[in-house]
């Protein structure tokens, strides 16, 4: 299927439960792992792997039960992301924005929007992402505008960067400001006139996310495509915490894959590192000690991830300012630690294996490249700061509010 095709006629499995979602994710992760290194090496647009996910029904697992979906828990969704990212971290990242924007419709979509888009998702449709911009004084500044033309019709104009998933999406949710200066999400078709998605992503890691540029030139918009996102900021929500925790799950998946591959290489090699007082690598005391440390830190990152996802589920069952804050703090802790551990394990695989680890044929550097690229999305130290500020001062983490960019003079 071309990445420009609509999902209207696409056949997809409908997953019915949390257990089924996890089982499908494990099957797909094994399939993704087989070509992950080669896709990274060749910078392949992962259209086919994403079609596997669509056909398997994964993009519809958070659709509410009243609309025919499995409505899986946050804990299950987060685990799905870890599983997929351990198979291929780049493909694992691609649905992150998808599920965030599914949640935006759940939170503030009209009943008509829910009925339409949830049916699309159950048919295998994928949401991309067009939020970030360049040139403002803040990463939250927006120049993209939804305005009315002379005839009263809505038009969308702007230029977006870091558009993970847009190239291979069916719909692209676009963050924009309406004429009243309010934040809206405009769900435009990937193949709509005036929408151009450029395959210009050239980062050292997460290469096949194709998180490139999206240009919106006088795109015609129907009111049914506009979600009033500003309403989300008027009440407690878990929207931003969910997005951050899915990113944490990707980091944990990267760490899992890196550690597993390092252990596999070491098991195949009988030769100890130079200077080791051992007959084989399997008996090297320093190697065993460091492997044990990294394994412990990886399992700690898994535990923090699980703890935070359960906090989200608990808050979702009884949403108050305090329960939302407790969930946000737990997410901050999980994300901060996952970032540190994924970079650490991705780097240390080389010291554990030795000079053979630098062989381009193994492509082991993709783990560190993926971790380093993905983790610079956020200022990690601020997540530890958020935890400390809550612990000492009772200050809840803030919500990142997108706003109008300053007028250029």
């Amino acid at each position: 299927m071309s990445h420009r095709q609509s999902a209207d006629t696409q056949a997809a499995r409908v997953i019915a439960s949390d257990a089924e979602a996890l089982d499908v994710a494990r099957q797909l992760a094994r399939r993704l792992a087989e070509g992950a290194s080669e896709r990274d090496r060749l910078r392949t647009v992962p259209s086919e792997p994403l079609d596997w996910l669509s056909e398997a029904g994964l993009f519809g697992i958070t659709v509410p039960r009243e609309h025919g979906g499995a409505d899986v828990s946050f804990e299950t969704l987060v685990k799905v992301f870890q599983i997929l990212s351990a198979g291929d971290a780049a493909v694992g990242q691609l649905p992150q924005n998808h599920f965030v924007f599914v949640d935006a419709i759940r939170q503030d979509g009209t009943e008509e929007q829910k009925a339409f888009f949830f049916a699309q998702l159950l048919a295998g449709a994928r949401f991309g992402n067009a939020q970030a911009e360049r040139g403002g004084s803040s990463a939250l500044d927006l120049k993209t505008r939804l305005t009315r033309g002379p005839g009263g019709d809505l038009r969308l104009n702007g230029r977006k960067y870091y558009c993970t998933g847009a190239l291979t999406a069916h719909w692209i949710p676009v963050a924009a400001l309406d004429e009243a200066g309010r934040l809206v999400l405009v769900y435009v078709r990937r193949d709509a006139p005036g929408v151009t998605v450029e395959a210009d992503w050239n980062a050292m890691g997460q290469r096949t996310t194709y998180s490139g540029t999206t240009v919106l030139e006088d795109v015609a918009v129907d009111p049914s495509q506009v979600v009033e996102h500003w309403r989300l900021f008027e009440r407690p929500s878990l929207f931003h915490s969910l997005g951050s925790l899915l990113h944490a799950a990707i980091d944990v998946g990267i760490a899992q894959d890196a550690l597993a591959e390092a252990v596999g290489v070491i098991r195949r090699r009988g030769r100890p590192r130079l200077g080791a007082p051992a007959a084989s690598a399997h008996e090297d005391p320093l190697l065993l000690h460091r492997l044990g440390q990294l394994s412990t830190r990886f399992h700690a990152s898994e535990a923090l991830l699980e703890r935070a996802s359960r906090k989200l589920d608990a808050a979702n069952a009884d949403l108050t300012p305090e329960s939302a804050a407790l969930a946000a703090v737990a997410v901050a802790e999980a994300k901060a630690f996952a970032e540190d551990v994924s970079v650490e394990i991705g780097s240390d695989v080389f010291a554990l294996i030795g000079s053979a680890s630098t062989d381009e044929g193994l492509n082991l550097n993709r783990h560190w490249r993926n971790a380093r690229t993905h983790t610079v999305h956020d200022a990690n130290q601020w997540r530890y700061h958020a935890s400390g500020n809550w612990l000492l001062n009772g200050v809840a983490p803030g919500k990142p509010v997108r706003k109008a960019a300053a007028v250029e003079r």
Side-chain angles (χ1 to χ4, degrees), residues 150-180:
D153 56 324
L154 292 172
R155 296 285 168 166
L156 182 66
N157 287 277
R159 188 178 186 90
K160 300 288 189 174
Y161 300 90
Y162 309 116
C163 299
T164 304
L167 186 67
T168 50
H170 302 101
W171 293 87
I172 305 175
V174 180
L177 298 178
D178 66 10
E179 290 183 313

mmCIF file of all heavy atoms in Angstrom, residues 150-180:
data_model
loop_
_atom_site.group_PDB
_atom_site.id
_atom_site.type_symbol
_atom_site.label_atom_id
_atom_site.label_comp_id
_atom_site.label_asym_id
_atom_site.label_seq_id
_atom_site.Cartn_x
_atom_site.Cartn_y
_atom_site.Cartn_z
ATOM 1 N N PRO A 150 -12.220 34.771 2.004
ATOM 2 C CA PRO A 150 -13.283 35.742 1.670
ATOM 3 C C PRO A 150 -14.667 35.118 1.608
ATOM 4 O O PRO A 150 -15.671 35.760 1.933
ATOM 5 C CB PRO A 150 -12.844 36.262 0.299
ATOM 6 C CG PRO A 150 -11.368 36.036 0.265
ATOM 7 C CD PRO A 150 -11.139 34.781 1.026
ATOM 8 N N GLY A 151 -14.747 33.844 1.227
ATOM 9 C CA GLY A 151 -16.043 33.177 1.126
ATOM 10 C C GLY A 151 -16.482 32.510 2.409
ATOM 11 O O GLY A 151 -17.516 31.831 2.446
ATOM 12 N N GLY A 152 -15.691 32.674 3.482
ATOM 13 C CA GLY A 152 -16.036 32.089 4.774
ATOM 14 C C GLY A 152 -15.505 30.686 4.979
ATOM 15 O O GLY A 152 -15.705 30.081 6.040
ATOM 16 N N ASP A 153 -14.800 30.111 3.963
ATOM 17 C CA ASP A 153 -14.269 28.764 4.105
ATOM 18 C C ASP A 153 -12.976 28.790 4.910
ATOM 19 O O ASP A 153 -12.226 29.761 4.899
ATOM 20 C CB ASP A 153 -14.020 28.152 2.724
ATOM 21 C CG ASP A 153 -13.093 29.007 1.879
ATOM 22 O OD1 ASP A 153 -13.178 30.251 1.984
ATOM 23 O OD2 ASP A 153 -12.275 28.445 1.122
ATOM 24 N N LEU A 154 -12.708 27.697 5.629
ATOM 25 C CA LEU A 154 -11.515 27.592 6.473
ATOM 26 C C LEU A 154 -10.304 27.186 5.643
ATOM 27 O O LEU A 154 -10.385 26.298 4.792
ATOM 28 C CB LEU A 154 -11.740 26.565 7.581
ATOM 29 C CG LEU A 154 -12.774 26.938 8.649
ATOM 30 C CD1 LEU A 154 -13.033 25.747 9.565
ATOM 31 C CD2 LEU A 154 -12.292 28.139 9.462
ATOM 32 N N ARG A 155 -9.173 27.836 5.923
ATOM 33 C CA ARG A 155 -7.918 27.540 5.244
ATOM 34 C C ARG A 155 -6.799 27.419 6.272
ATOM 35 O O ARG A 155 -6.743 28.177 7.244
ATOM 36 C CB ARG A 155 -7.579 28.642 4.235
ATOM 37 C CG ARG A 155 -8.593 28.766 3.096
ATOM 38 C CD ARG A 155 -8.429 27.647 2.092
ATOM 39 N NE ARG A 155 -9.566 27.583 1.159
ATOM 40 C CZ ARG A 155 -9.534 26.868 0.034
ATOM 41 N NH1 ARG A 155 -8.456 26.168 -0.287
ATOM 42 N NH2 ARG A 155 -10.597 26.844 -0.751
ATOM 43 N N LEU A 156 -5.891 26.465 6.020
ATOM 44 C CA LEU A 156 -4.786 26.184 6.937
ATOM 45 C C LEU A 156 -3.458 26.468 6.242
ATOM 46 O O LEU A 156 -3.210 25.988 5.130
ATOM 47 C CB LEU A 156 -4.842 24.709 7.371
ATOM 48 C CG LEU A 156 -3.798 24.233 8.375
ATOM 49 C CD1 LEU A 156 -3.997 24.920 9.732
ATOM 50 C CD2 LEU A 156 -3.894 22.713 8.544
ATOM 51 N N ASN A 157 -2.600 27.242 6.923
ATOM 52 C CA ASN A 157 -1.296 27.579 6.364
ATOM 53 C C ASN A 157 -0.226 27.496 7.446
ATOM 54 O O ASN A 157 -0.429 27.969 8.580
ATOM 55 C CB ASN A 157 -1.297 28.994 5.785
ATOM 56 C CG ASN A 157 -2.066 29.091 4.483
ATOM 57 O OD1 ASN A 157 -1.544 28.795 3.418
ATOM 58 N ND2 ASN A 157 -3.337 29.508 4.579
ATOM 59 N N GLY A 158 0.909 26.884 7.093
ATOM 60 C CA GLY A 158 2.013 26.809 8.041
ATOM 61 C C GLY A 158 3.100 25.884 7.548
ATOM 62 O O GLY A 158 2.982 25.242 6.497
ATOM 63 N N ARG A 159 4.170 25.816 8.333
ATOM 64 C CA ARG A 159 5.304 24.941 8.025
ATOM 65 C C ARG A 159 5.743 24.272 9.314
ATOM 66 O O ARG A 159 6.014 24.959 10.305
ATOM 67 C CB ARG A 159 6.456 25.739 7.404
ATOM 68 C CG ARG A 159 7.595 24.875 6.875
ATOM 69 C CD ARG A 159 8.679 25.749 6.227
ATOM 70 N NE ARG A 159 9.702 24.929 5.586
ATOM 71 C CZ ARG A 159 9.667 24.526 4.325
ATOM 72 N NH1 ARG A 159 8.652 24.871 3.554
ATOM 73 N NH2 ARG A 159 10.630 23.780 3.815
ATOM 74 N N LYS A 160 5.809 22.947 9.300
ATOM 75 C CA LYS A 160 6.086 22.175 10.503
ATOM 76 C C LYS A 160 7.347 21.325 10.344
ATOM 77 O O LYS A 160 7.706 20.908 9.238
ATOM 78 C CB LYS A 160 4.902 21.244 10.806
ATOM 79 C CG LYS A 160 3.576 21.963 11.044
ATOM 80 C CD LYS A 160 3.567 22.674 12.379
ATOM 81 C CE LYS A 160 2.189 23.202 12.715
ATOM 82 N NZ LYS A 160 2.118 23.767 14.075
ATOM 83 N N TYR A 161 7.990 21.058 11.487
ATOM 84 C CA TYR A 161 9.200 20.245 11.492
ATOM 85 C C TYR A 161 9.044 19.104 12.508
ATOM 86 O O TYR A 161 8.143 19.114 13.338
ATOM 87 C CB TYR A 161 10.418 21.103 11.846
ATOM 88 C CG TYR A 161 10.645 22.227 10.863
ATOM 89 C CD1 TYR A 161 10.061 23.476 11.059
ATOM 90 C CD2 TYR A 161 11.418 22.035 9.707
ATOM 91 C CE1 TYR A 161 10.244 24.504 10.149
ATOM 92 C CE2 TYR A 161 11.613 23.057 8.791
ATOM 93 C CZ TYR A 161 11.020 24.289 9.022
ATOM 94 O OH TYR A 161 11.197 25.309 8.110
ATOM 95 N N TYR A 162 9.945 18.126 12.441
ATOM 96 C CA TYR A 162 9.924 16.970 13.350
ATOM 97 C C TYR A 162 8.566 16.270 13.304
ATOM 98 O O TYR A 162 7.994 15.912 14.332
ATOM 99 C CB TYR A 162 10.277 17.393 14.773
ATOM 100 C CG TYR A 162 11.543 18.204 14.855
ATOM 101 C CD1 TYR A 162 11.532 19.528 15.279
ATOM 102 C CD2 TYR A 162 12.767 17.648 14.468
ATOM 103 C CE1 TYR A 162 12.699 20.275 15.326
ATOM 104 C CE2 TYR A 162 13.936 18.391 14.507
ATOM 105 C CZ TYR A 162 13.897 19.698 14.942
ATOM 106 O OH TYR A 162 15.049 20.440 14.977
ATOM 107 N N CYS A 163 8.065 16.088 12.085
ATOM 108 C CA CYS A 163 6.714 15.539 11.882
ATOM 109 C C CYS A 163 6.756 14.017 11.827
ATOM 110 O O CYS A 163 6.501 13.404 10.774
ATOM 111 C CB CYS A 163 6.097 16.123 10.621
ATOM 112 S SG CYS A 163 5.932 17.917 10.687
ATOM 113 N N THR A 164 7.051 13.397 12.954
ATOM 114 C CA THR A 164 7.134 11.945 13.029
ATOM 115 C C THR A 164 5.816 11.303 12.604
ATOM 116 O O THR A 164 4.758 11.637 13.125
ATOM 117 C CB THR A 164 7.472 11.505 14.465
ATOM 118 O OG1 THR A 164 8.683 12.145 14.866
ATOM 119 C CG2 THR A 164 7.634 9.996 14.547
ATOM 120 N N GLY A 165 5.906 10.395 11.653
ATOM 121 C CA GLY A 165 4.728 9.657 11.205
ATOM 122 C C GLY A 165 3.953 10.301 10.082
ATOM 123 O O GLY A 165 3.084 9.660 9.486
ATOM 124 N N ALA A 166 4.233 11.560 9.761
ATOM 125 C CA ALA A 166 3.431 12.252 8.751
ATOM 126 C C ALA A 166 3.594 11.634 7.368
ATOM 127 O O ALA A 166 2.628 11.520 6.605
ATOM 128 C CB ALA A 166 3.798 13.736 8.709
ATOM 129 N N LEU A 167 4.821 11.230 7.036
ATOM 130 C CA LEU A 167 5.075 10.714 5.693
ATOM 131 C C LEU A 167 4.283 9.447 5.410
ATOM 132 O O LEU A 167 3.860 9.207 4.275
ATOM 133 C CB LEU A 167 6.578 10.439 5.526
ATOM 134 C CG LEU A 167 7.046 10.031 4.127
ATOM 135 C CD1 LEU A 167 6.875 11.178 3.141
ATOM 136 C CD2 LEU A 167 8.509 9.587 4.160
ATOM 137 N N THR A 168 4.062 8.640 6.416
ATOM 138 C CA THR A 168 3.411 7.341 6.238
ATOM 139 C C THR A 168 1.997 7.318 6.823
ATOM 140 O O THR A 168 1.433 6.253 7.039
ATOM 141 C CB THR A 168 4.255 6.239 6.896
ATOM 142 O OG1 THR A 168 4.587 6.641 8.231
ATOM 143 C CG2 THR A 168 5.531 5.997 6.117
ATOM 144 N N ALA A 169 1.423 8.499 7.082
ATOM 145 C CA ALA A 169 0.104 8.592 7.711
ATOM 146 C C ALA A 169 -1.012 8.649 6.677
ATOM 147 O O ALA A 169 -0.786 8.888 5.495
ATOM 148 C CB ALA A 169 0.047 9.838 8.592
ATOM 149 N N HIS A 170 -2.219 8.442 7.157
ATOM 150 C CA HIS A 170 -3.426 8.691 6.360
ATOM 151 C C HIS A 170 -4.018 10.056 6.712
ATOM 152 O O HIS A 170 -4.579 10.740 5.863
ATOM 153 C CB HIS A 170 -4.462 7.595 6.615
ATOM 154 C CG HIS A 170 -3.967 6.221 6.305
ATOM 155 N ND1 HIS A 170 -3.539 5.353 7.286
ATOM 156 C CD2 HIS A 170 -3.794 5.576 5.128
ATOM 157 C CE1 HIS A 170 -3.141 4.213 6.718
ATOM 158 N NE2 HIS A 170 -3.284 4.327 5.418
ATOM 159 N N TRP A 171 -3.877 10.437 7.991
ATOM 160 C CA TRP A 171 -4.339 11.732 8.482
ATOM 161 C C TRP A 171 -3.203 12.386 9.260
ATOM 162 O O TRP A 171 -2.466 11.712 9.989
ATOM 163 C CB TRP A 171 -5.538 11.569 9.419
ATOM 164 C CG TRP A 171 -6.791 11.077 8.753
ATOM 165 C CD1 TRP A 171 -7.143 9.771 8.542
ATOM 166 C CD2 TRP A 171 -7.840 11.875 8.217
ATOM 167 N NE1 TRP A 171 -8.359 9.703 7.910
ATOM 168 C CE2 TRP A 171 -8.817 10.985 7.691
ATOM 169 C CE3 TRP A 171 -8.072 13.250 8.128
ATOM 170 C CZ2 TRP A 171 -9.997 11.430 7.105
ATOM 171 C CZ3 TRP A 171 -9.244 13.700 7.534
ATOM 172 C CH2 TRP A 171 -10.190 12.793 7.030
ATOM 173 N N ILE A 172 -3.073 13.709 9.135
ATOM 174 C CA ILE A 172 -2.041 14.441 9.870
ATOM 175 C C ILE A 172 -2.723 15.466 10.780
ATOM 176 O O ILE A 172 -3.278 16.458 10.297
ATOM 177 C CB ILE A 172 -1.074 15.167 8.919
ATOM 178 C CG1 ILE A 172 -0.455 14.186 7.926
ATOM 179 C CG2 ILE A 172 0.015 15.879 9.725
ATOM 180 C CD1 ILE A 172 0.423 14.861 6.876
ATOM 181 N N PRO A 173 -2.705 15.256 12.091
ATOM 182 C CA PRO A 173 -3.201 16.273 13.020
ATOM 183 C C PRO A 173 -2.206 17.439 13.084
ATOM 184 O O PRO A 173 -1.014 17.234 13.338
ATOM 185 C CB PRO A 173 -3.283 15.536 14.355
ATOM 186 C CG PRO A 173 -3.295 14.075 13.991
ATOM 187 C CD PRO A 173 -2.421 13.989 12.775
ATOM 188 N N VAL A 174 -2.690 18.636 12.849
ATOM 189 C CA VAL A 174 -1.850 19.828 12.782
ATOM 190 C C VAL A 174 -2.206 20.776 13.922
ATOM 191 O O VAL A 174 -3.379 21.146 14.084
ATOM 192 C CB VAL A 174 -2.035 20.558 11.438
ATOM 193 C CG1 VAL A 174 -1.157 21.810 11.372
ATOM 194 C CG2 VAL A 174 -1.746 19.627 10.266
ATOM 195 N N ALA A 175 -1.211 21.168 14.716
ATOM 196 C CA ALA A 175 -1.434 22.159 15.765
ATOM 197 C C ALA A 175 -1.426 23.546 15.138
ATOM 198 O O ALA A 175 -0.488 23.929 14.440
ATOM 199 C CB ALA A 175 -0.349 22.054 16.828
ATOM 200 N N ALA A 176 -2.493 24.313 15.399
ATOM 201 C CA ALA A 176 -2.622 25.646 14.806
ATOM 202 C C ALA A 176 -3.392 26.549 15.765
ATOM 203 O O ALA A 176 -3.999 26.091 16.734
ATOM 204 C CB ALA A 176 -3.342 25.562 13.461
ATOM 205 N N LEU A 177 -3.366 27.833 15.469
ATOM 206 C CA LEU A 177 -4.170 28.798 16.205
ATOM 207 C C LEU A 177 -5.292 29.280 15.301
ATOM 208 O O LEU A 177 -5.065 29.583 14.125
ATOM 209 C CB LEU A 177 -3.312 29.977 16.660
ATOM 210 C CG LEU A 177 -2.174 29.647 17.627
ATOM 211 C CD1 LEU A 177 -1.383 30.901 17.956
ATOM 212 C CD2 LEU A 177 -2.684 28.989 18.903
ATOM 213 N N ASP A 178 -6.507 29.327 15.859
ATOM 214 C CA ASP A 178 -7.621 29.836 15.061
ATOM 215 C C ASP A 178 -7.639 31.360 15.111
ATOM 216 O O ASP A 178 -6.747 31.992 15.695
ATOM 217 C CB ASP A 178 -8.943 29.211 15.507
ATOM 218 C CG ASP A 178 -9.365 29.618 16.917
ATOM 219 O OD1 ASP A 178 -8.741 30.532 17.503
ATOM 220 O OD2 ASP A 178 -10.324 29.014 17.441
ATOM 221 N N GLU A 179 -8.649 31.974 14.521
ATOM 222 C CA GLU A 179 -8.682 33.440 14.434
ATOM 223 C C GLU A 179 -8.869 34.108 15.794
ATOM 224 O O GLU A 179 -8.580 35.297 15.955
ATOM 225 C CB GLU A 179 -9.783 33.867 13.468
ATOM 226 C CG GLU A 179 -9.448 33.529 12.022
ATOM 227 C CD GLU A 179 -10.499 34.010 11.047
ATOM 228 O OE1 GLU A 179 -11.708 33.773 11.301
ATOM 229 O OE2 GLU A 179 -10.112 34.619 10.029
ATOM 230 N N ALA A 180 -9.315 33.342 16.775
ATOM 231 C CA ALA A 180 -9.445 33.873 18.132
ATOM 232 C C ALA A 180 -8.180 33.637 18.948
ATOM 233 O O ALA A 180 -8.141 33.951 20.147
ATOM 234 C CB ALA A 180 -10.652 33.243 18.823
#
